[in-house]
Amino acid sequence: MAVSYRKILAWACLSATLVFLASCQAEVYNGLNETEANLMLSALLERGIDTEKISRGKNGFTIAVDKKDLIRSLEILRTNGLPQDRYKTLGEVFSGQGMISSMVEEQARLSFAI
């Protein structure tokens, strides 16, 4: 019986350590596409910041760093202009979702298609 209590205690200590280590990271940005995540990852790694790129499936990618490096990471990304602003295309602006399209909207969609 004493052996099983030791195993349980060892597993409990290991689990607590893993939870503690997982909580030491902070998400810098999330919802990124892979190109944005790779640019941010390389910028931070070049400056010596331990960084992790996490795939969130349909929700894109997340960049996480140690909590102690969060402010420095944000500063590095800001000075490198990351993440870059996302601009909508003409096709997204004039997507034709309304009930009635104006002549300007139809011409814009035609120009975008060509």
Side-chain angles (χ1 to χ4, degrees):
M1 276 291 198
V3 174
S4 64
Y5 285 122
R6 287 184 185 181
K7 285 183 181 180
I8 291 172
L9 182 61
W11 279 108
C13 289
L14 179 64
S15 298
T17 302
L18 290 175
V19 168
F20 176 74
L21 290 175
S23 66
C24 291
Q25 284 202 331
E27 290 185 1
V28 180
Y29 283 99
N30 57 28
L32 303 166
N33 64 39
E34 191 163 15
T35 303
E36 292 170 327
N38 288 338
L39 288 170
M40 295 170 104
L41 182 72
S42 66
L44 293 172
L45 289 173
E46 284 176 354
R47 306 301 187 302
I49 305 262
D50 187 26
T51 309
E52 185 177 359
K53 179 177 86 169
I54 304 164
S55 175
R56 301 287 188 204
K58 292 181 181 179
N59 295 327
F61 291 87
T62 297
I63 295 294
V65 298
D66 286 335
K67 285 184 179 178
K68 64 181 176 59
D69 294 327
L70 180 61
I71 294 173
R72 186 169 164 238
S73 299
L74 291 171
E75 183 64 24
I76 290 168
L77 294 174
R78 185 186 63 77
T79 57
N80 285 290
L82 295 171
Q84 297 173 345
D85 292 332
R86 294 181 187 170
Y87 296 103
K88 290 189 175 192
T89 65
L90 200 56
E92 292 171 335
V93 173
F94 294 108
S95 61
Q97 297 296 325
M99 287 184 61
I100 301 173
S101 298
S102 69
M103 186 60 111
V104 172
E105 187 175 359
E106 288 180 13
Q107 288 174 345
R109 277 200 309 270
L110 178 62
S111 297
F112 180 73
I114 292 173

